[in-house]
Amino acid sequence: MGVSRSEQRVVVVGAGMAGVQTAVQLREQGWPGGIRLIGGEPHQPYDRPPLSKAVLLGKADDAALDVDFGALGIDVELGRQATALRPGERLVETDAGSVAYDQLVIATGAEAVALPGAEGVPGVHLLRTLDDAARLRAVLAARSEVVVVGAGWIGAEFTTAAREAGCDVTVVEAGVAPLPGALPAEITEHMRPWYEESGARLRTGTAVRSVERGGVRLQDGTRLRADAVVVGVGSRPATGWLAGSGIGLGEDGGVLADEMLRASAPNVYAVGDCASFPSARYGERLLVHHWDNALQGPRVVAANITAGTLPDGEAEAALYDPVPYFWSEQFGRFVQYAGHHTAQDELVRRGDPDQAAWSVCWLRDGTLNALLAVGRPRDLAQGRRLIAGRAPVDAERVADAAVPLKKAVPTS
Ligand SMILES: Cc1cc2nc3c(=O)[nH]c(=O)nc-3n(C[C@H](O)[C@H](O)[C@H](O)COP(=O)(O)OP(=O)(O)OC[C@H]3O[C@@H](n4cnc5c(N)ncnc54)[C@H](O)[C@@H]3O)c2cc1C
């Protein structure tokens, strides 16, 4: 490679959880060279989950990550946007000049998808950044009349906070039940009452035709008045800046990383919300937009950068093959999911979904593939281990909520 490792510089683009963790992990795993963390937002690097929870309600002022960058020898440059990548010259172009790298980590995360025609309309909000949360905090404080577009994870958490603040909330969802795309309607139909009990109105099977000043127009012609419209219709990888770079991107916009989280150019890695990876465990490529992925992936990237630059190149490659995990706090409930299911998997209910606590399991070939737990964190913890270990399970015992999930493994 020519230059020694301590003379080499890793540049990390994107200062969210994945970028910050990559920088921290590099130091923890003994990277001796320079580390430069470049973030587009002007704020101290922060965590996103609190934005739709405590920060929105004014219970926390910010969600800054508690990292002493100076002590770790990490150079942080905030408010600096990467605009292009030239892998052949190992250069990142930014709005403040070019930056040379020896190793590059793309950690630019995702951006919230806007509703076509709604951009720039006064009173229309997204919820992705600290600035978005600050604007919405004022909406909540004014106890406004709000229309939420989308009953996904963000829509549900925002609605929870807005109802707690005393806002009048109507949620409009094009799918037939909450969380379409993420979970089957036969399960999420049981979440519909959560909205109603909170005092929000949920209208499913209704798309928004247009967003206007002071409200939205639905496909059926109905007009809903609103002081504020909150759009929660999903997120997509923030990879527009890689156009023309030759870095392979999927149809979903995610960087096509390999099992070591390497992108398609030499010495370039990608991690977190911006990258998909081939899951050996599930036999398909996954694009995961959840916090745990932004925490775990960086360990693998740091290990591969650290090992891959050793003089003899003999250190073992670290492979990324996680059991995906996420949680959501909505309507006073703790909702957790581990694994990855498809419509082909056998769905096994565990407990009554009209009660406060229940789970749903997905089985494939006699093993647990995925699990959704509502108010049953023990199911989640035990199920996650069963999924990771690919342990065979007995479907009848899985269905018995009185039997601890770990005891669903056949004994003989
Ligand atoms: C409101 C909210 C609540 C959430 N709650 C949960 C939850 O309860 N549970 C859960 O599991 N997950 C949750 N998530 C998801 C989780 O926060 C994300 O998966 C995680 O933040 C991804 O981290 P990341 O670093 O990959 O991306 P990001 O957090 O998106 O960070 C990427 C950073 O890169 C910067 N960037 C982008 N482009 C450029 C560029 N060209 N140049 C420089 N910088 C750039 C961005 O400004 C951003 O700061 C939530 C997300 C949101 C938005």
Side-chain angles (χ1 to χ4, degrees):
M1 187 156 280
V3 277
S4 76
R5 293 164 87 220
S6 54
E7 288 169 308
Q8 286 191 43
R9 173 173 276 189
V10 179
V11 172
V12 181
V13 181
M17 177 53 94
V20 168
Q21 276 300 320
T22 301
V24 170
Q25 279 294 317
L26 278 164
R27 281 290 179 252
E28 285 195 359
Q29 296 187 33
W31 174 252
I35 303 175
R36 193 164 174 181
L37 179 63
I38 298 175
E41 295 182 66
H43 309 289
Q44 272 305 307
Y46 62 89
D47 208 7
R48 279 178 215 283
L51 300 187
S52 52
K53 306 171 183 81
V55 171
L56 204 50
L57 280 164
K59 292 178 183 170
D61 276 339
D62 70 16
L65 293 168
D66 185 16
V67 177
D68 188 342
F69 293 104
L72 290 169
I74 298 167
D75 299 327
V76 183
E77 292 174 65
L78 302 170
R80 185 169 188 179
Q81 200 74 24
T83 51
L85 172 62
R86 303 213 309 264
E89 294 148 75
R90 296 203 185 171
L91 278 183
V92 176
E93 300 292 352
T94 79
D95 55 5
S98 19
V99 176
Y101 65 85
D102 296 294
Q103 307 284 332
L104 175 71
V105 182
I106 300 169
T108 44
E111 47 208 7
V113 174
L115 267 191
E119 287 117 308
V121 177
V124 177
H125 299 260
L126 299 169
L127 178 46
R128 179 78 202 175
T129 65
L130 192 57
D131 291 340
D132 294 338
R135 282 185 285 265
L136 283 167
R137 204 160 151 170
V139 169
L140 263 60
R143 300 165 61 116
S144 311
E145 195 174 340
V146 187
V147 167
V148 178
V149 184
W153 302 112
I154 295 289
E157 292 199 352
F158 174 80
T159 301
T160 303
R163 283 300 304 140
E164 192 177 326
C167 295
D168 178 288
V169 184
T170 302
V171 183
V172 180
E173 168 55 58
V176 296
L179 297 169
L183 294 168
E186 61 181 300
I187 299 304
T188 59
E189 197 49 57
H190 297 281
M191 299 175 176
R192 182 186 295 275
W194 300 0
Y195 287 78
E196 286 147 20
E197 285 158 16
S198 81
R201 289 175 293 278
L202 171 63
R203 299 177 70 135
T204 53
T206 322
V208 168
R209 188 201 297 166
S210 59
V211 177
E212 304 153 3
R213 199 188 178 108
V216 303
R217 177 84 56 191
L218 305 183
Q219 283 297 0
D220 65 8
T222 311
R223 186 173 196 283
L224 300 178
R225 210 205 81 72
D227 303 312
V229 176
V230 178
V231 178
V233 295
S235 52
R236 101 179 116 233
T239 53
W241 66 283
L242 295 170
S245 67
I247 294 290
L249 302 179
E251 276 177 22
D252 51 25
V255 176
L256 293 168
D258 70 5
E259 68 282 6
M260 290 169 66
L261 295 180
R262 293 177 303 191
S264 59
N267 308 309
V268 181
Y269 294 77
V271 67
D273 278 13
C274 69
S276 66
F277 57 90
S279 166
R281 182 183 298 281
Y282 290 107
E284 62 182 285
R285 182 167 277 280
L286 300 181
L287 176 69
V288 177
H289 278 186
H290 296 302
W291 187 87
D292 192 59
N293 179 56
L295 184 71
Q296 307 297 344
R299 293 181 213 276
V300 170
V301 170
N304 285 325
I305 290 177
T306 308
T309 49
L310 284 172
D312 53 10
E314 273 176 12
E316 242 176 73
L319 303 181
Y320 193 52
D321 194 15
V323 173
Y325 165 74
F326 72 86
W327 81 96
S328 171
E329 292 158 49
Q330 45 180 280
F331 306 108
R333 291 163 174 90
F334 193 40
V335 179
Q336 296 168 286
Y337 179 95
H340 172 71
H341 71 271
T342 68
Q344 282 69 49
D345 297 339
E346 180 190 357
L347 189 153
V348 179
R349 290 165 192 263
R350 208 173 135 73
D352 179 355
D354 292 324
Q355 297 300 315
W358 48 277
S359 298
V360 171
C361 296
W362 284 267
L363 271 51
R364 189 184 300 176
D365 301 329
T367 62
L368 191 61
N369 232 7
L371 172 133
L372 171 76
V374 176
R376 289 182 64 104
R378 204 166 286 166
D379 273 4
L380 193 286
Q382 295 178 9
R384 197 175 178 182
R385 281 196 286 274
L386 292 177
I387 297 169
R390 294 192 176 90
V393 289
D394 179 307
E396 265 180 43
R397 279 194 248 174
V398 168
D400 186 347
V403 174
L405 207 44
K406 63 182 178 192
K407 298 255 165 72
V409 178
T411 41
S412 59

